Amino acid sequence: MSSRTARPHRIALAVALALAAPGAFAQSTTGGIFGQVPTAAGQTVVITSDTGLSREVSVDDRGRYSAGQLPLGTYTVSLKANGQTVDTRSNIVLKVGAGTEVSFVSKAADAQDLTGMTVSASALAKIDVSSIDSRTVVTSEQLAKLPLGRNSEAIALLAPGVVNNGGNFKGATGNSLVSFGGSAASENAYYVNGFATTDPLQGFGGLSLPYGAIEQQEVYTGGYSAQYGRSDGGVINVVGKRGTNEWHFGAQVLWEPAFARASQRNRYYENGLPASPRAGNLYAPDSENSSDSTTVSAYAGGPLIKDKLFVFVAAEYERQQGNTVNPVSGYTSTKPYEDYRYNSPRWYGKIDWNITDNHILELTGASDKYQTSGTVYDYDYASRTRLGRIGADDDTKNGGDLWTAKYTGYITDDLTISAQYGKLHTTAYDSPGGYDPSLTYVDGIVNQNPALNGGAPRGNSQTVSSLIPAGKGNRTTNTRIDITYKIGDHTITAGIDNQTATALDQGSVTSGPGGYSWTYGQGDPNTPISTGLGVPATGGFPNGAGGYYVIQNINSSLATVRSTQRAQYIEDKWQVSDRWLLSLGIRNDQFENFNADSDAFITQHKPQWAPRLGASWDVNGDATFKIYANAGRYYLGLPLNPALNAAGGALTTSQYFTYGGIAADGTPTNLTAISVPVAANNTFGQLPDPKTVTTKGLKSEYQDEFILGFTKTLGSDWVYGAKATQRILRNAIDDYCDIDLVLAKAQSLGYNVTTDSNPVSCWLFNPGKANTFNLVDTSGNYVSVPLSNKEFGFEGLKRRYYALETFLEHPFADGWYGKVSYTFSRSYGNTEGQLRSDLFRESRGTGQTAVSTTQDWDNSYIMVNTNGVQNNDHKHQFKFFGYYQFTPEWLVSANLSLISGAPKPCLGYFGEDRTDPAGYGNSYHFCYGEPSPPGSHGRLPWMRQLDLGATYRPDFAQSRLAFNLNVFNVTNEQKVLAIFPNSESSPNLANPLYGTPTAMQQPRYVRLSVNYDY
């Protein structure tokens, strides 16, 4: 066929694709089929799935046809002329959220003269000119071949611009969280079969499916439809498998043996020694750790009633056991040596009912849990010897269960309706093992005065610092309805997206007989410990000449809180011309949060319009070269966590003492109080008036995003492209805690207000701009107190991200698949967002987990010198993954990533004089008295990791049996990923932990597996 005759067909194909393919939806579970047929009268196209679902669609006067919102699966597409099948295409596999081209182009002048034939789908490189989003789709076939971690976050790391978080943040089931496009790790959305599984309390991850039950996983890095929101980071959308008209089953056993795991390198104090070291400069003998993991999984799927009712079930059980020798100090110091056992049971089940060809019902159930238990032993760090048993370790159970029901109705060829409802129930159970209610928890024993302990740190067997309720957990309910109608060149979709979440029995209380714990510390005896809290130097008090002190800590916070999030949207995909497609959408979100008394403290019901605009230009008119662009606004609802602190009645106080002795159980004796109980943010246990918790007219966090890119074929086997992205955080919510400044402004306006009439610890506000506080005077009247940004002492809010991504992909053909990408990016400003990854706390083993209530913006002092590259900034990212089938029996695969290091932090006391004006200790942006903006101390090392795999499928087993070998981190790189950021432990006293790694790259390990599929 000449180029002159081919041109009209190519233009028509591009148009058909744009009209047919469903939008690139962030939680889509469907795909579409479109195509071109020879123009003739009386033609229809019949689309039949491997479940027997059949749809017959008409062909327009230009030979175009389309069918959208089809369940994922394998399809047969037949062309009919006057009721007779004249051509067939088989083995058509849909990709989630995209259109698949199936055309019937013939030289015959009349379709009625075609002879019946069957053609299998080709694997030529193709471009979906109807998509304007940015996403990576990983299929079950690729998951089975690539060397990957067996969770959704590990799969997401294949996508450009996605990196591991630097704060050691983990989800409920132990998976390390990821950062998209510079955003905080809590700002992502997670879906399973269209149901939102995002943790409602902190936004820390979501549920995963058994690895073998994943049909496809979408990883959205931007530009998604108005149908979906509640994320200004990225989206992880998992679509599970379903049964077909043929029964299939299989089983797999995986083993990650301890003997094949390289030793982790030890960590050492990088900045001197503590007062009472336990083993010289050794901080953590990580080389003594060991781990062995076994996973067993199985699945089965098929018809209960052929062409009508189908079932698919899968289960996976992972057991990891070994031992961990914890650091000499910190949150695990009372658990020196742990023998542990982690169990991770997961299951998934799905029932599909083709009520008729026009009505489908789907029922999904899934469970993803993480359970731990073990034994705690004493340990001699000097000789590296395990000692006697201390007691049982904590028995924990995290994760949960979900179920959903979804109805899809193809009312006419042009009208489709879908409705989904589901519930998610998660738990966070922690039964402390070996808890002795007669013993007080003692921390920081390496900072004890060596003259009082004989030179050896003195503690006790209490391993439990706090107690939590047995019913702690979350409940989430989702309801959404979507209606799609095609009229001419327009495809219009509208709907609602509602969610209700409840956090049950959240919080904790200090363990022990007195309801308090002790923490030892050391400072300069002539420098106040905290000027902001009014804690003086120890030198003027008995037993304080050496700078040694101890803190009595009291913590209590228990509550049940909830929120509602509702949204409405409408969107039009408009085929303006043969080559131009516009996507015009708008979304309106409403958020409401309630405190422990079920009183609303945030009510954001006014319209929060989020426009989504996109365009796709098929440059050549033949779907070989696409230029696309989009601009969108994305709102993020407040998680439930702030209802427990800023809007809650938490009691968190500290009282400082000098001491003249240390009892045998590690508790201090001969105490002299050098302060009253103090709290940096007035957290004295009173639930504040919900009308005064937030500033007036509090606006939701939102971000604007702009993308411009292109995708182009290179010959018949390659696709390449590039895109530029800019993200601008326009508004955020955090807490403001300088109570004295607000009350002083109220007094200057003539109001009589006190902390007694306003028992708040902090206010939720919009940082970087003017805010008006709602206070209560001593007569019980509400008064308005405005503060400008200048009065706050702040600069404007800033978080900006820009990136240039490039990729080259070889779709599977000639026995191999490969994709390489490079991302150059920068994330900068004066806030990371909802989290602080760099502010690592040894007492928790993570960064700051107080989502949307971080130390940022609490007062003017903490925000001095904050402008710079942010914690999730990784300037260069190079990724490659692929596989090669070099014989029918043998396949090899690889996954390579080269990621430049995050900025190296250095925090300390405030200013040249090392003061503590706000009571925040060593967390200001100063390093040994010098200004320390983020990024001013260089970078952490590059992270380089190469993972390799090999699969053998012997012919004698008809390729049903497979043996697999994966080697992760082949070169055994063990780079430092994060460090302790605090340069001083007390004013003018260097912190031995500064620069010590808090997270390191995992050493080389091996996975062996065998599986059988029938």
Side-chain angles (χ1 to χ4, degrees):
M1 182 182 294
S2 69
S3 60
R4 177 176 295 271
T5 54
R7 196 79 169 164
H9 291 299
R10 289 174 175 173
I11 292 174
L13 281 173
V15 174
L17 189 153
L19 289 173
F25 306 150
Q27 63 183 58
S28 173
T29 61
T30 62
I33 293 176
F34 71 94
Q36 174 76 22
V37 306
T39 305
Q43 294 189 118
T44 60
V45 173
V46 178
I47 299 168
T48 306
S49 76
D50 50 7
T51 64
L53 179 69
S54 182
R55 289 186 64 191
E56 187 167 358
V57 296
S58 59
V59 178
D60 67 17
D61 56 4
R62 287 184 285 178
R64 305 176 310 178
Y65 79 92
S66 66
Q69 299 193 41
L70 299 171
L72 296 187
T74 303
Y75 284 78
T76 298
V77 182
S78 300
L79 173 63
K80 283 188 173 183
N82 297 320
Q84 300 297 316
T85 300
V86 295
D87 203 353
T88 299
R89 302 287 187 266
S90 61
N91 297 321
I92 310 299
V93 179
L94 300 193
K95 182 171 286 189
V96 61
T100 301
E101 176 198 342
V102 182
S103 293
F104 301 86
V105 179
S106 172
K107 296 181 181 180
D110 188 347
Q112 298 178 9
D113 296 332
L114 293 174
T115 57
M117 58 182 175
T118 299
V119 181
S120 294
S122 67
L124 297 179
K126 295 177 182 179
I127 294 175
D128 182 357
V129 296
S130 72
S131 64
I132 58 171
D133 56 73
S134 300
R135 62 187 173 130
T136 298
V137 178
V138 185
T139 67
S140 58
E141 181 182 20
Q142 292 172 318
L143 293 178
K145 295 175 179 177
L146 292 170
L148 295 172
R150 294 172 62 84
N151 57 72
S152 294
E153 288 81 3
I155 300 170
L157 289 173
L158 297 175
V162 183
V163 296
N164 212 340
N165 82 90
N168 203 32
F169 300 121
K170 290 181 170 61
T173 54
N175 299 333
S176 182
L177 303 179
V178 293
S179 168
F180 287 73
S183 298
S186 63
E187 298 174 13
N188 306 321
Y190 291 74
Y191 296 92
V192 170
N193 280 0
F195 179 87
T197 68
T198 313
D199 164 39
L201 182 64
Q202 296 173 299
F204 280 6
L207 267 63
S208 294
L209 297 183
Y211 200 72
I214 299 174
E215 177 64 29
Q216 295 181 21
Q217 177 170 311
E218 288 181 296
V219 182
Y220 281 84
T221 55
Y224 45 90
S225 160
Q227 298 186 42
Y228 306 102
R230 301 170 190 150
S231 165
D232 61 10
V235 175
I236 294 177
N237 176 38
V238 178
V239 181
K241 294 180 178 179
R242 64 180 67 211
T244 68
N245 267 328
E246 293 184 4
W247 278 100
H248 294 276
F249 61 85
Q252 185 178 46
V253 178
L254 302 97
W255 182 34
E256 295 176 5
F259 72 81
R261 182 180 293 266
S263 295
Q264 183 81 57
R265 295 170 187 165
N266 295 330
R267 289 176 284 165
Y268 297 88
Y269 286 106
E270 296 288 335
N271 202 34
L273 294 177
S276 296
R278 303 176 78 171
N281 67 341
L282 177 69
Y283 172 66
D286 297 328
S287 62
E288 301 297 310
N289 299 340
S290 68
S291 174
D292 189 284
S293 175
T294 302
T295 303
V296 179
S297 63
Y299 72 89
L304 298 176
I305 302 175
K306 189 174 181 181
D307 293 338
K308 284 291 183 182
L309 190 63
F310 309 88
V311 64
F312 183 90
V313 293
E316 177 180 281
Y317 187 88
E318 178 184 0
R319 170 169 291 181
Q320 181 180 349
Q321 53 192 8
N323 70 271
T324 297
V325 183
N326 289 310
V328 298
S329 64
Y331 75 111
T332 54
S333 61
T334 55
K335 299 180 179 181
Y337 185 106
E338 293 177 278
D339 271 339
Y340 65 84
R341 184 172 69 190
Y342 301 156
N343 297 325
S344 299
R346 291 175 177 167
W347 62 262
Y348 166 79
K350 192 167 191 296
I351 293 176
D352 293 271
W353 181 18
N354 298 340
I355 304 171
T356 70
D357 285 340
N358 294 324
H359 301 279
I360 303 172
L361 182 63
E362 305 172 49
L363 301 177
T364 299
S367 178
D368 181 11
K369 296 181 180 178
Y370 184 69
Q371 305 167 353
T372 73
S373 61
T375 305
V376 179
Y377 296 86
D378 201 358
Y379 188 77
D380 187 329
Y381 287 92
S383 64
R384 310 281 177 89
T385 305
R386 193 185 83 173
L387 303 177
R389 182 180 186 272
I390 294 176
D393 207 347
D394 290 8
D395 181 9
T396 70
K397 297 177 183 178
N398 291 280
D401 307 300
L402 71 86
W403 71 266
T404 69
K406 181 181 180 182
Y407 162 78
T408 303
Y410 307 106
I411 309 304
T412 70
D413 285 349
D414 298 321
L415 177 63
T416 302
I417 297 175
S418 67
Q420 185 175 39
Y421 177 81
K423 290 187 175 183
L424 170 67
H425 174 196
T426 63
T427 60
Y429 173 81
D430 188 341
S431 176
Y435 174 57
D436 186 340
S438 68
L439 292 176
T440 300
Y441 184 82
V442 181
D443 198 7
I445 59 177
V446 295
N447 297 314
Q448 291 173 347
N449 186 344
L452 301 177
N453 62 15
R458 193 175 292 173
N460 62 54
S461 60
Q462 180 63 277
T463 62
V464 180
S465 61
S466 61
L467 303 172
I468 66 173
K472 184 178 180 180
N474 302 303
R475 307 285 190 276
T476 304
T477 300
N478 283 181
T479 304
R480 68 172 299 130
I481 298 173
D482 304 280
I483 300 173
T484 300
Y485 185 64
K486 291 172 59 178
I487 179 170
D489 292 330
H490 298 265
T491 301
I492 300 172
T493 306
I496 62 171
D497 176 12
N498 297 339
Q499 177 176 299
T500 300
T502 303
L504 300 170
D505 294 337
Q506 299 294 320
S508 63
V509 296
T510 306
S511 65
Y516 57 80
S517 65
W518 294 105
T519 301
Y520 287 93
Q522 182 191 13
D524 182 339
N526 300 312
T527 303
I529 296 173
S530 174
T531 54
L533 294 175
V535 183
T538 62
F541 294 88
N543 304 308
Y548 295 97
Y549 60 89
V550 69
I551 309 170
Q552 185 184 69
N553 308 290
I554 298 176
N555 297 281
S556 178
S557 58
L558 298 172
T560 293
V561 297
R562 63 186 176 91
S563 69
T564 60
Q565 300 185 4
R566 302 180 185 278
Q568 308 81 41
Y569 76 91
I570 187 169
E571 184 174 62
D572 178 15
K573 282 186 171 292
W574 176 22
Q575 189 68 48
V576 179
S577 69
D578 286 346
R579 300 190 184 189
W580 280 95
L581 170 71
L582 293 183
S583 178
L584 311 171
I586 192 163
R587 179 183 175 92
N588 179 26
D589 283 284
Q590 303 96 48
F591 307 128
E592 192 166 14
N593 290 68
F594 301 85
N595 67 9
D597 285 349
S598 294
D599 295 321
F601 64 91
I602 288 182
T603 303
Q604 295 164 331
H605 287 171
K606 293 182 179 180
Q608 298 184 116
W609 300 115
R612 310 283 173 82
L613 309 175
S616 175
W617 176 29
D618 184 6
V619 178
N620 298 325
D622 58 2
T624 60
F625 182 19
K626 176 184 74 171
I627 296 178
Y628 63 97
N630 60 64
R633 174 163 292 180
Y634 301 87
Y635 280 91
L636 186 63
L638 194 71
L640 291 168
N641 178 76
L644 304 174
N645 40 50
L651 172 65
T652 305
T653 62
S654 301
Q655 186 172 11
Y656 291 73
F657 299 84
T658 58
Y659 57 97
I662 302 174
D665 64 356
T667 57
T669 61
N670 193 15
L671 296 168
T672 300
I674 62 176
S675 78
V676 297
V678 295
N681 297 322
N682 198 34
T683 51
F684 291 105
Q686 294 176 282
L687 187 68
D689 184 338
K691 295 180 180 178
T692 67
V693 168
T694 71
T695 55
K696 289 188 175 182
L698 186 74
K699 305 298 183 185
S700 301
E701 178 172 329
Y702 70 90
Q703 179 172 268
D704 289 340
E705 179 185 72
F706 308 92
I707 296 176
L708 175 65
F710 79 89
T711 308
K712 194 176 187 305
T713 58
L714 182 64
S716 61
D717 295 333
W718 294 87
V719 178
Y720 69 98
K723 74 164 186 173
T725 300
Q726 183 175 42
R727 290 179 160 187
I728 304 173
L729 185 66
R730 301 292 191 186
N731 197 63
I733 296 177
D734 214 300
D735 58 341
Y736 181 73
C737 306
D738 193 341
I739 298 172
D740 291 341
L741 179 64
V742 178
L743 297 186
K745 177 63 181 293
Q747 296 286 353
S748 72
L749 295 174
Y751 302 130
N752 187 14
V753 295
T754 66
T755 54
D756 289 333
S757 62
N758 295 275
V760 296
S761 59
C762 300
W763 292 274
L764 294 170
F765 82 133
N766 294 133
K769 59 181 63 176
N771 284 261
T772 298
F773 295 84
N774 197 33
L775 304 184
V776 179
D777 66 16
T778 54
S779 299
N781 301 311
Y782 292 101
V783 296
S784 297
V785 179
L787 269 81
S788 67
N789 203 42
K790 183 177 181 180
E791 289 175 300
F792 282 122
F794 293 147
E795 296 180 353
L797 173 79
K798 183 193 292 185
R799 186 185 77 186
R800 294 196 174 192
Y801 171 85
Y802 63 78
L804 176 64
E805 295 178 10
T806 60
F807 79 91
L808 176 65
E809 182 176 21
H810 183 278
F812 186 73
D814 302 323
W816 72 283
Y817 169 87
K819 183 175 183 179
V820 60
S821 67
Y822 168 73
T823 302
F824 173 85
S825 65
R826 188 168 185 255
S827 179
Y828 63 99
N830 55 16
T831 182
E832 179 183 335
Q834 288 188 337
L835 296 173
R836 276 287 300 274
S837 298
D838 64 328
L839 203 59
F840 191 87
R841 288 296 186 239
E842 196 181 11
S843 61
R844 288 191 302 265
T846 66
Q848 193 170 16
T849 58
V851 180
S852 288
T853 52
T854 68
Q855 285 190 9
D856 283 352
W857 309 105
D858 283 5
N859 52 74
S860 60
Y861 304 101
I862 205 72
M863 293 304 293
V864 174
N865 301 320
T866 55
N867 191 33
V869 291
Q870 289 299 299
N871 302 315
N872 291 317
D873 179 74
H874 295 267
K875 191 173 183 180
H876 304 284
Q877 300 175 43
F878 175 88
K879 299 180 180 181
F880 166 79
F881 59 94
Y883 44 86
Y884 177 43
Q885 186 85 51
F886 61 92
T887 74
E889 293 183 294
W890 285 97
L891 177 140
V892 293
S893 57
N895 182 19
L896 171 67
S897 61
L898 306 172
I899 312 294
S900 62
K904 183 179 179 181
C906 187
L907 306 174
Y909 285 84
F910 189 87
E912 185 177 352
D913 296 331
R914 271 84 153 184
T915 61
D916 184 13
Y920 281 46
N922 56 3
S923 298
Y924 303 96
H925 285 270
F926 286 86
C927 186
Y928 299 112
E930 297 294 327
S932 180
S936 60
H937 298 276
R939 297 272 180 167
L940 296 172
W942 278 67
M943 194 282 290
R944 300 184 290 265
Q945 180 145 338
L946 173 63
D947 305 329
L948 296 176
T951 301
Y952 171 57
R953 290 185 176 272
D955 285 340
F956 68 78
Q958 298 178 315
S959 298
R960 295 173 179 171
L961 180 67
F963 300 92
N964 304 277
L965 168 67
N966 294 144
V967 183
F968 297 88
N969 193 6
V970 173
T971 56
N972 199 27
E973 299 275 346
Q974 296 189 36
K975 300 300 183 183
V976 176
L977 305 180
I979 63 171
F980 280 98
N982 308 100
S983 59
E984 298 170 292
S985 55
S986 291
N988 292 310
L989 183 68
N991 180 11
L993 280 172
Y994 175 62
T996 303
T998 60
M1000 296 185 68
Q1001 193 174 352
Q1002 290 297 304
R1004 179 180 58 244
Y1005 68 98
V1006 174
R1007 178 193 297 155
L1008 304 168
S1009 65
V1010 58
N1011 55 279
Y1012 184 83
D1013 300 279
Y1014 180 81

